[in-house]
């Protein structure tokens, strides 16, 4: 929690998700009854919140999983349509 180095969650965001989605990664942070959307347009911005523990891995993981699924699902389809 809050550690960036050698953290696979952060690596996925830096090397796969941000480049695949034009440097936009959205996290829906659940706070009891409320949902707060946070939009990250740079890895540095994400790292700041993650390191400061403004976002928790349990907030990041669901959004990361959805983004990876979209990346895997959409890219091959685009290749085959050409």
């Amino acid at each position: 929690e809050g550690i960036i180095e050698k953290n696979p969650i952060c690596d996925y965001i830096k090397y796969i998700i941000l480049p695949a989605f034009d440097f936009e990664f959205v996290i829906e942070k659940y706070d009891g009854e409320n949902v707060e959307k946070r939009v990250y347009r740079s890895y540095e911005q994400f790292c700041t919140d993650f390191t400061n523990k403004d976002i928790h891995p349990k907030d990041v993981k669901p959004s990361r999983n959805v983004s990876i699924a979209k990346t895997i699902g959409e890219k091959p389809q685009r290749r085959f349509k050409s």
Side-chain angles (χ1 to χ4, degrees):
E1 177 180 338
I3 299 170
I4 300 295
E5 294 81 23
K6 297 183 182 180
N7 186 331
I9 295 171
C10 299
D11 291 341
Y12 281 119
I13 292 165
K14 182 177 184 176
Y15 296 110
I16 297 171
I17 295 170
L18 282 170
F21 292 94
D22 297 321
F23 293 91
E24 183 173 286
F25 178 55
V26 179
I27 294 175
E28 292 184 350
K29 183 177 178 181
Y30 294 92
D31 187 13
E33 297 176 3
N34 302 317
V35 177
E36 176 189 350
K37 279 192 175 183
R38 294 190 179 200
V39 179
Y40 294 95
R41 293 189 170 81
S42 73
Y43 184 66
E44 292 74 21
Q45 182 185 24
F46 170 81
C47 286
T48 299
D49 281 0
F50 194 80
T51 303
N52 292 336
K53 300 181 181 178
D54 291 334
I55 53 174
H56 189 274
K58 71 177 181 178
D59 300 319
V60 177
K61 287 178 183 179
S63 298
R64 178 210 55 193
N65 294 345
V66 168
S67 296
I68 289 173
K70 286 181 181 179
T71 301
I72 293 170
E74 291 176 7
K75 298 244 179 202
Q77 291 173 358
R78 279 190 249 153
R79 286 189 200 124
F80 290 113
K81 287 182 181 178
S82 308

